[in-house]
Amino acid sequence: MAIFPPVPRLLDAALRDGTVVRVERVDGDSCDGRVLALGRRWVILAQLADLGHPDGLTVRRLRDVDHVTPAPLSQRASAHLVDWPPTAPDVDLDSTRAMLASLLTADTLVGIECIDEPDQRWYGLPHALRRRDLDLWELSPQCTWHATESSWRLGSLTEVVIGDRYGTTLGSLAPTPPIAPEDSRWAHEIDRPREDGVRAR
């Protein structure tokens, strides 16, 4: 039987028991959610906000998680939800690059957070996944697209969010992006090989 360090062991127990937990990072940021899958480097949760409102999927880097505790109020509120939690997506959580390649598609509006810049989240469309960097067409809080893509070091990423209420609203108000998702490097280098049965790593 595998012996887990404390945080992965608690997350694994929550996954097996189907309980809602509060996952707190070393910078103090926390979220409540149901653990959907657990890998060597990342954990994916169906997130709850405001005591029981589904708020998309969040993927947190394990090494940045400081505490995992029960979330009894969110647990009680989730009992009244219909069609929740969602089915766990087929995501490779054993490395950052594999996680991004298996979670995102070219037309996925994604939110990212970096461990060295707390309380900041950036949204954008995936453009390219390079050896050490993620390139996004960034969408500003004013719903305008940046003129060129932004690059983010894979090693700095601590959280990746899709389908959250804020991001969904932001995306619904955004104009046409500067480059069509199907014309991005992501569509040609990540999505297309995946359709052929080969997952990009």
Side-chain angles (χ1 to χ4, degrees):
M1 180 177 178
I3 299 176
F4 293 91
V7 163
R9 178 167 50 82
L10 292 170
L11 291 170
D12 184 62
L15 173 63
R16 288 184 285 103
D17 297 341
T19 54
V20 176
V21 289
R22 178 160 296 165
V23 180
E24 184 176 340
R25 292 197 315 236
V26 292
D27 60 1
D29 184 87
S30 66
C31 70
D32 291 1
R34 180 89 166 261
V35 178
L36 298 181
L38 178 65
R40 289 188 300 168
R41 300 288 178 84
W42 296 82
V43 59
I44 186 168
L45 302 104
Q47 187 170 209
L48 293 170
D50 304 324
L51 289 181
H53 293 276
D55 200 24
L57 301 179
T58 184
V59 192
R60 291 201 154 190
R61 189 166 61 177
L62 290 179
R63 78 182 193 200
D64 300 326
V65 175
D66 195 32
H67 292 95
V68 178
T69 55
L73 289 179
S74 291
Q75 178 80 54
R76 286 166 52 192
S78 70
H80 302 285
L81 297 175
V82 178
D83 298 327
W84 191 91
T87 302
D90 182 16
V91 179
D92 187 336
L93 299 170
D94 289 341
S95 76
T96 300
R97 198 174 192 281
M99 179 272 291
L100 293 169
S102 56
L103 177 68
L104 306 179
T105 59
D107 59 355
T108 303
L109 186 67
V110 58
I112 61 170
E113 297 183 20
C114 298
I115 193 61
D116 52 354
E117 298 188 65
D119 302 320
Q120 297 287 330
R121 180 180 289 178
W122 297 269
Y123 285 87
L125 290 174
H127 177 64
L129 183 58
R130 295 183 284 128
R131 183 182 177 192
R132 298 181 183 275
D133 298 278
L134 168 67
D135 293 349
L136 296 179
W137 284 105
E138 195 176 337
L139 182 60
S140 77
Q142 292 74 39
C143 293
T144 58
W145 295 100
H146 288 207
T148 59
E149 64 267 29
S150 304
S151 293
W152 307 89
R153 299 289 286 181
L154 297 185
S156 70
L157 299 181
T158 186
E159 185 156 345
V160 176
V161 178
I162 61 172
D164 60 306
R165 290 179 295 170
Y166 176 83
T168 299
T169 301
L170 191 70
S172 70
L173 298 174
T176 302
I179 181 172
E182 61 269 21
D183 294 330
S184 68
R185 286 180 56 188
W186 195 283
H188 293 275
E189 298 174 4
I190 305 297
D191 291 347
R192 190 161 296 167
R194 182 165 48 193
E195 291 171 0
D196 294 335
V198 180
R199 175 175 288 170
R201 292 185 182 274

